[in-house]
Amino acid sequence: MKITGSEAVIKCLLEENVDLIYGYPGGAIMPIYDALYHYQKEVKHVLVRHEQGATHAAQGYARSSGKPGVVFATSGPGATNLITGIADAQIDSTPMVCITGQVASHLLGSDAFQETDIVGISTPITKWNYQITKAEEIPTVLAKAFFIAKSGRPGPVLVDITKDAQFELIDFKYQACTKVRSYKPEPSSSLKELDAAVDLINKAKKPLIVFGQGVILGEAEEEFKNFIEKTGIPAAWTILGLSALPTAHPLNVGMVGMHGNYGPNVLTNECDLLIAMGMRFDDRVTGDLNRYAKQAKIIHFEIDPAEVNKNVPVDVAVLGNIKKTLPQITEKVNKNNHENWLKEFRKRDEIEYQTVIEKDLHPTKDEMTMGEVIHAINEETKGDAIIVTDVGQHQMVACRYAKFNQSKSNITSGGLGTMGFALPAALGAKMGAPEREVVAIIGDGGYQMTIQELGTIFQTGAAVKIVVLNNNFLGMVRQWQQLFFDKRYASTELVNPDFVTIAKGYYIDGEKVDKRSGLKNAVKKMIQSKKPCFLEVCVEKEDNVFPMIPTGESVSNIRLS
């Protein structure tokens, strides 16, 4: 029995066990939506309020569930509105399949109504993309799309389908894709590299691990924990690596990078062995590359060969999925501890606590700090919530102070730094892990970039808890203007609306707290609610996030004030 290309699209998704789609209909994708109408029991569609919201929601879903997020959009502006989210997913290695409608094939290149070359536009920011002009291509191309998005280092793919291909009839047959010629998703390491890594680890007196999201994407949390507990090596995390190891683990020494912890940043330039696990030596982590870990031997565990020696020359590259390579190393390394070396981190922890953390979490001034809000949320969630952050000062503070007991709990925009990410991503995260508490921490600037997704949250009923830390500034830009531009606050002060009234306009319960005395009860009430809730907390206008490594400086030159 022949079916249309549109119905074939839906059947392909069902074959890939897709049960949730984020999207926004329009003319060029209308046939696919019409086909979807007949499969509402099998697959749920979430109508977002803007296509960018669909991509961020799909990212949040993918990050909390481990499954690819799926997005529908129409041609022209519908497709171009996906670009920011696709770019974000690409740099943060998030699996996502975007399906866009396109004008009929005979109109391609004619500047037809709502025609854009989305394949050309998205080529630099997708792992793979393809335009379908014949319905017979749909099963093969979509199978390949899901395989590429999920395998190896994950990422976003885009499939553009012309309108005539959606109407064409085909004999439907689906076969899952298991390999693509010339594409090797998981490279392998030889015994030589593994033994070389073991030798360096056994000889090291001051080793340091910096772990990233590769541990989470490889589902290698247990293997990683076994390795550090056998070797006794201190482990620091990148922002996207946060939650791969419980915050309270005795070998967890904190965050590296621009607003990371004092100890792991300074001691990066004192360790004799730096072990990078599933991280890509981002500039926010390394600071000045000419002064980064020059004294250390470096081992890089990495699934993407293109990342090895890209920014930092390494002595040994262990290629492949950490879940497979790390146990081989763990089996061979000597059992060890590095107590005296670990004490060096704890000494610097104490300095940072006295200089920065104590006044962030337990301030004596009248104005509330962002840190004490995160502390109040920690006390109520006990480290079991998924925390979704936007981009800015609140993001750095949340990453510094949020506590996590389990993996896939920190969801943020890392490499692209996309303001507007958190609200739709929190919706996706809640739908990807409905049994878990999801708290979105957002600045007053980024919140207004995708505030319309309150409508999606209301319509779905997803019990997302939304916290806006309001300082009436684009806070991170203002901090840089204060420190490096002589307090010339050019276009960073915000005159904000009544956020609580807006939330109530979307039938979401809201509360505003501007006094410390009301904070604890407001957080408790919000977390205990079974419905979506909004909480605005007014924080100090000109509070800064420290420690901080100024741009272009060495990690050793981290500032505590």
Side-chain angles (χ1 to χ4, degrees), residues 175-376:
Q175 186 171 348
C177 180
T178 56
K179 65 178 181 178
V180 175
R181 190 177 64 182
S182 78
Y183 170 55
K184 190 177 182 182
E186 290 192 13
S188 55
S189 289
S190 70
L191 196 60
K192 179 182 175 184
E193 278 88 28
L194 296 174
D195 286 344
V198 169
D199 186 55
L200 287 176
I201 292 165
N202 285 340
K203 287 178 178 176
K205 303 298 182 190
K206 294 181 176 181
L208 171 62
I209 294 167
V210 177
F211 62 95
Q213 192 185 199
V215 175
I216 297 170
L217 294 173
E219 298 183 336
E221 294 91 344
E222 196 62 33
E223 290 82 359
F224 176 64
K225 186 163 162 283
N226 292 340
F227 173 78
I228 65 168
E229 289 178 351
K230 183 174 181 182
T231 59
I233 299 175
W237 36 269
T238 69
I239 282 176
L240 293 182
L242 175 56
S243 85
L245 184 70
T247 313
H249 194 284
L251 290 169
N252 188 331
V253 293
M255 180 168 80
V256 292
M258 180 171 280
H259 290 286
N261 294 107
Y262 184 52
N265 273 307
V266 169
L267 295 175
T268 294
N269 279 356
E270 293 183 27
C271 67
D272 60 5
L273 176 65
L274 182 64
I275 306 171
M277 290 197 178
M279 55 84 80
R280 57 187 181 83
F281 291 109
D282 175 74
D283 63 293
R284 282 294 198 262
V285 166
T286 64
D288 181 9
L289 285 169
N290 294 317
R291 292 178 283 171
Y292 182 76
K294 291 298 181 183
Q295 77 295 338
K297 296 285 186 183
I298 298 179
I299 303 171
H300 195 175
F301 288 79
E302 179 58 54
I303 200 167
D304 184 356
E307 293 294 349
V308 176
N309 295 317
K310 185 176 86 174
N311 295 327
V312 174
V314 304
D315 296 279
V316 177
V318 180
L319 295 176
N321 188 332
I322 291 176
K323 191 172 184 70
K324 296 176 183 176
T325 58
L326 197 52
Q328 297 176 66
I329 302 281
T330 305
E331 187 181 350
K332 294 184 175 185
V333 291
N334 298 334
K335 186 166 178 59
N336 204 345
N337 71 68
H338 295 277
E339 288 181 15
N340 291 332
W341 172 232
L342 191 59
K343 285 177 184 175
E344 294 299 314
F345 291 88
R346 300 311 174 204
K347 284 179 191 173
R348 287 160 180 81
D349 287 349
E350 186 58 30
I351 294 169
E352 183 179 346
Y353 185 84
Q354 298 294 339
T355 313
V356 178
I357 296 173
E358 187 171 28
K359 53 187 183 182
D360 273 355
L361 301 189
H362 308 289
T364 54
K365 54 192 174 184
D366 291 338
E367 301 96 333
M368 282 185 282
T369 65
M370 291 176 280
E372 70 179 305
V373 180
I374 305 303
H375 183 62

Side-chain angles (χ1 to χ4, degrees), residues 114-135:
Q114 290 193 335
E115 182 200 358
T116 55
D117 179 10
I118 194 61
V119 170
I121 291 168
S122 65
T123 293
I125 55 165
T126 48
K127 192 176 176 185
W128 181 70
N129 65 12
Y130 189 86
Q131 185 176 75
I132 293 174
T133 58
K134 297 289 183 184

Side-chain angles (χ1 to χ4, degrees), residues 30 38 94 199 222 238 291 404 442 489 505 557:
M30 209 176 294
H38 301 286
T94 303
D199 186 55
E222 196 62 33
T238 69
R291 292 178 283 171
F404 298 111
I442 316 177
Y489 295 160
N557 295 341

